[in-house]
Amino acid sequence: MLADQQAAMERLLLHREIEEFMSAEAELLDSRRFDDWLSLLAPDIRYWMPMMRNVHSTNANDEFTDEQADTNWMDEGLETLTRRVRQLATGIHWAEEPVSRTTHMVSNVRLLDVRNGTPREVDTSCRFLVYRNRQQDEADTFIGKRLDTLRHTPEGWVIARREIRLDQNVLLAKNLTTFF
Amino acid sequence: MGAISEQEIRGLVDAANGTVSRDIFVNQAIFDAELEQVFARSWLFVGHEGLIPKPEDFFASRMGKDPVILTRNKQGEILVFLNSCTHRGMKLCRYDQGNARAFTCPYHGWSFSTNRDIVDEPGELVGVPHFEAGYGDRLDRKRWGLVRCPNVVVYKGTIWANWDSEAPSFLDWLGDMRHYLDFALDHRDGSSGGSEVIGGVQKWRVKTNWKIVAENFIGDMYHDISHRSVDTVGIGPGGTGRRDAQRPRLAIGFSDLGHGVLGEMPHLAEPDYAPTFASHPEVEAYYRKIYDAKVRNLGDRPRVTNSVGTIFPSMSFHSRQPRTILITHPISPTEVELWRFYLVDANAPQAVKDAARHYYLRYSGPGGMTETDDLENWTYAIGSSEGAIARRHDFNYQLALGQAKPVPGLQGAVQSGTYSEENQRIFYRRWAQFMTGMNWSQLMPGSDATEEVAHAR
């Protein structure tokens, strides 16, 4: 009984820790501390964003474009994400000059699988709402699901894998210059 | 919407002096006339064979503002229909792609078949609920079949359609622009065709006018400066810049047809090999091998290369790095829906396809580090042109005015140097011809197809 309670408490603390990590990550993005955000990414990170098709309900397998095979919205590793951050820092990346205002909200965080190996890894799912407002009257709302694998390192948690499922078919924003 | 009078068009487009009224980018009446005069008469790209590989596959596409169904029937014919039920207009097919024996309307249940085992003409109405009791023999099922696009052609895998049954042939429409399109669609080793579309089409909305996109890709080297941020950080396949090193390009335009590219003049020998994808040794080795094959395959035949191009009115393409087709669908005077399709050699090793795909996605599309800056410029060029005062002031297209020279070996082509707006002047002159309602013998004076039509009358 005591062991059960101990396990439940550990799970609860882990859940809180992960939620706190996700909130802190959102804070970095919204305060445009992109170099600090990069330090949260594992060297082998897979950051990808499939596209969603309108398919028949009996054909759900075709709803998402395939990882590492099809055209996706994004299909990135640390190198290109780093270059994106550098582009933002040039001061002449017109899509983000003047800078956009963003708010990243994360909710419905669930721990799908906890692997207590070395290193420790946790598969999570959550919902995101990213609001972007830019110039005078441009407003975009990106809502969807995120599947993250987080890895524990001596420096803390890092993101080893992120799949971003945006609930849009035709992208209603003119670009994707925001990180999710 | 009717044509625009000669007098009115002269106030909108002065190609000879390089000025164009902002009104043509923001005016709703002009936009409505474009749908009729330009899009309903032009050869439009509707898809690729690879999107509908099997019998009865379909892909939901668009032509102008009209939704269309691109499908392959049981007999293998490639067909294009208006995606709207003939009874009450319901959008018949609301899936992006799939496979269907018949198209059945969700609203009142009318169904249509493309199968020649069942119908005489593909698209015929085959199923009508309460047919006997409700219509008796008064409903002519042949007359109420799907609205079928009369002209559909497949060109090296790409599929094009034109609603005007008197339109010239697709090859006449292309003219010698065909060589540049070939460079995009042919295998990198120079053999004909051989490219395929990677699965998944990027579709996104941008608040701009469709012509701004077309003129950007028709040969606007002048906007290179807008991409300095991506040049600085480097996304090219060799690890730096935007692309691997490329030979100097010229604005080459087809004065009578409205097409244009940034590309090379026709040449007879393959220039020396230059390393490509150097940061991926396996891919670089493949392209070295492909280069040797191209030298063998083409021998001393003429060939061209280009980076970008636009086929009038709204099909743009990158031929080399990246290699992609961009269709600009008009939504309103100030909104477009962009569709990007990405191309690779069908028989290339997976590592080559993977490297290409990753590069394409960091270059192009709404997440592309190059294209995002274009999208910003296209948005605010139009956004700041809607006011009453702005509309009084023309856009300037005078770069390299009067510098066009004929291109030997390409019929009707002129080149005007690297930094030029000759191709934009060509585009708007062509646009004006369509908008004034010119007929085909005026629009295509040299076309055999037009002459045949003229004789037939």
Side-chain angles (χ1 to χ4, degrees):
Chain A
M1 185 65 190
L2 206 61
D4 284 355
Q5 280 186 350
Q6 180 70 20
M9 185 59 78
E10 277 176 18
R11 178 103 179 168
L12 186 64
L13 288 173
L14 179 63
H15 197 149
R16 261 318 285 143
E17 194 179 329
I18 299 256
E19 285 185 323
E20 184 61 31
F21 172 80
M22 290 180 173
S23 299
E25 184 202 356
E27 185 67 36
L28 291 180
L29 289 173
D30 293 339
S31 53
R32 304 180 195 122
R33 291 166 60 192
F34 298 115
D35 283 319
D36 292 335
W37 179 72
L38 286 176
S39 71
L40 301 183
L41 311 184
D44 59 337
I45 185 175
R46 288 267 315 127
Y47 176 100
W48 79 290
M49 191 169 179
M51 300 191 294
M52 288 200 201
R53 299 189 182 105
N54 296 306
V55 293
H56 193 270
S57 54
T58 57
N59 193 23
N61 284 345
D62 284 345
E63 184 172 6
F64 300 100
T65 49
D66 291 336
E67 183 175 11
Q68 299 281 46
D70 286 339
T71 297
N72 295 294
W73 291 126
M74 289 249 179
D75 193 346
E76 305 270 300
L78 183 60
E79 191 203 329
T80 47
L81 290 168
T82 302
R83 288 183 197 261
R84 287 178 190 276
V85 168
R86 283 201 211 133
Q87 189 183 23
L88 290 167
T90 59
I92 51 171
H93 178 24
W94 310 118
E96 283 296 330
E97 287 291 342
V99 290
S100 297
R101 293 162 284 275
T102 67
T103 291
H104 286 68
M105 299 176 68
V106 176
S107 75
N108 306 28
V109 177
R110 296 176 63 218
L111 310 187
L112 302 181
D113 188 31
V114 178
R115 293 184 292 281
N116 288 313
T118 312
R120 190 180 198 198
E121 287 196 336
V122 182
D123 292 342
T124 69
S125 78
C126 67
R127 301 291 180 266
F128 65 82
L129 188 162
V130 178
Y131 175 74
R132 176 178 65 178
N133 180 287
R134 99 172 246 92
Q135 293 276 16
Q136 289 76 28
D137 54 7
E138 272 192 76
D140 296 302
T141 308
F142 304 95
I143 298 178
K145 294 102 181 160
R146 223 174 62 195
L147 295 166
D148 292 346
T149 298
L150 305 181
R151 182 184 298 156
H152 201 261
T153 72
E155 289 76 41
W157 291 99
V158 294
I159 304 158
R161 179 181 161 81
R162 173 163 290 171
E163 177 178 341
I164 303 142
R165 295 182 171 178
L166 177 68
D167 286 340
Q168 293 187 20
N169 170 252
V170 173
L171 180 71
L172 300 175
K174 73 172 188 275
N175 65 30
L176 293 167
T177 48
T178 304
F179 299 108
F180 291 90
Chain B
M1 278 290 169
I4 289 180
S5 71
E6 289 279 352
Q7 188 186 352
E8 198 182 344
I9 210 83
R10 274 197 295 275
L12 296 173
V13 175
D14 184 352
N17 293 305
T19 60
V20 173
S21 167
R22 297 188 193 215
D23 219 30
I24 76 165
F25 301 97
V26 297
N27 181 311
Q28 182 69 45
I30 290 175
F31 177 82
D32 292 342
E34 283 176 332
L35 297 181
E36 191 68 53
Q37 301 300 331
V38 178
F39 287 91
R41 298 200 290 162
S42 291
W43 281 99
L44 303 173
F45 176 98
V46 290
H48 193 280
E49 271 189 309
L51 298 163
I52 48 166
K54 296 190 299 291
E56 300 179 330
D57 279 351
F58 65 83
F59 172 78
S61 191
R62 301 180 72 104
M63 292 174 71
K65 273 199 84 169
D66 289 306
V68 298
I69 302 171
L70 167 64
T71 187
R72 186 189 291 268
N73 70 2
K74 200 178 171 202
Q75 287 71 33
E77 285 171 280
I78 290 180
L79 306 159
V80 173
F81 299 100
L82 189 66
N83 187 2
S84 179
C85 183
T86 50
H87 174 245
R88 196 66 83 248
M90 173 64 189
K91 194 172 183 180
L92 260 184
C93 174
R94 293 162 306 123
Y95 303 105
D96 292 346
Q97 59 192 83
N99 186 277
R101 268 199 186 158
F103 295 100
T104 301
C105 181
Y107 198 176
H108 300 89
W110 282 24
S111 70
F112 305 86
S113 174
T114 61
N115 183 353
R116 286 191 187 271
D117 294 342
I118 299 172
V119 295
D120 294 331
E121 284 303 317
E124 265 178 38
L125 181 58
V126 290
V128 179
H130 305 287
F131 180 70
E132 297 297 333
Y135 294 100
D137 56 3
R138 292 187 305 279
L139 178 66
D140 180 353
R141 290 201 279 196
K142 291 200 189 304
R143 161 152 169 28
W144 293 96
L146 286 180
V147 180
R148 180 173 162 193
C149 186
N151 307 304
V152 180
V153 300
V154 179
Y155 184 76
K156 296 188 176 184
T158 59
I159 305 172
W160 304 72
N162 189 320
W163 282 108
D164 189 337
S165 53
E166 294 182 3
S169 74
F170 176 68
L171 288 181
D172 284 344
W173 179 271
L174 266 185
D176 272 355
M177 176 71 175
R178 177 165 59 88
H179 301 296
Y180 292 99
L181 180 61
D182 284 348
F183 177 60
L185 301 179
D186 284 349
H187 197 285
R188 298 292 85 166
D189 71 8
S191 55
S192 182
S195 57
E196 67 177 10
V197 161
I198 304 173
V201 183
Q202 291 180 329
K203 304 175 182 177
W204 76 108
R205 293 284 178 109
V206 185
K207 296 267 194 303
T208 191
N209 182 275
W210 67 271
K211 297 184 290 297
I212 287 287
V213 185
E215 66 152 77
N216 182 90
F217 290 104
I218 206 167
D220 182 6
M221 192 69 168
Y222 200 38
H223 88 288
D224 216 37
I225 193 170
S226 70
H227 295 305
R228 268 195 306 146
S229 71
V230 71
D231 288 338
T232 305
V233 300
I235 59 162
T240 58
R242 242 182 299 157
R243 301 182 175 115
D244 287 321
Q246 53 195 329
R247 298 185 292 273
R249 290 161 289 163
L250 301 169
I252 296 172
F254 292 82
S255 312
D256 300 332
L257 300 171
H259 320 311
V261 297
L262 272 181
E264 287 185 296
M265 306 273 274
H267 46 280
L268 299 176
E270 198 61 20
D272 291 341
Y273 176 76
T276 184
F277 278 84
S279 49
H280 304 70
E282 187 184 351
V283 179
E284 197 275 334
Y286 169 79
Y287 282 114
R288 192 179 291 268
K289 205 174 70 186
I290 286 297
Y291 169 85
D292 293 338
K294 186 175 183 185
V295 168
R296 280 196 308 275
N297 287 340
L298 292 186
D300 59 359
R301 279 185 285 153
R303 80 282 317 262
V304 297
T305 68
N306 67 313
S307 54
V308 293
T310 290
I311 294 172
F312 185 87
S314 56
M315 185 277 195
S316 300
F317 60 103
H318 289 76
S319 300
R320 186 175 163 262
Q321 290 182 346
R323 191 174 170 195
T324 158
I325 291 168
L326 176 71
I327 306 305
T328 306
H329 298 294
I331 301 294
S332 80
T334 55
E335 187 169 20
V336 298
E337 188 169 306
L338 299 175
W339 286 16
R340 263 209 187 277
F341 305 73
Y342 295 93
L343 298 165
V344 285
D345 283 345
N347 66 358
Q350 194 57 44
V352 171
K353 291 184 181 182
D354 289 344
R357 192 182 66 250
H358 283 290
Y359 169 62
Y360 299 164
L361 294 185
R362 66 182 185 263
Y363 190 108
S364 290
M369 292 169 68
T370 307
E371 192 133 280
T372 51
D373 284 334
D374 289 319
L375 299 167
E376 184 80 1
N377 288 324
W378 301 342
T379 300
Y380 285 98
I382 295 307
S384 59
S385 294
E386 292 184 80
I389 307 303
R391 289 197 203 198
R392 293 178 198 164
H393 297 275
D394 293 342
F395 282 164
N396 180 298
Y397 293 89
Q398 295 178 329
L399 188 63
L401 192 65
Q403 294 180 24
K405 303 178 204 56
V407 176
L410 292 178
Q411 193 182 353
V414 294
Q415 67 90 358
S416 48
T418 299
Y419 295 93
S420 164
E421 285 165 347
E422 180 67 18
N423 288 3
Q424 287 83 348
R425 293 188 287 272
I426 286 171
F427 179 87
Y428 289 109
R429 191 182 299 119
R430 189 64 168 161
W431 177 87
Q433 290 171 351
F434 274 82
M435 291 296 281
T436 51
M438 278 188 177
N439 63 31
W440 285 117
S441 56
Q442 294 168 307
L443 288 167
M444 304 287 294
S447 160
D448 294 341
T450 309
E451 282 161 22
E452 281 162 28
V453 169
H455 289 314
R457 287 185 194 143

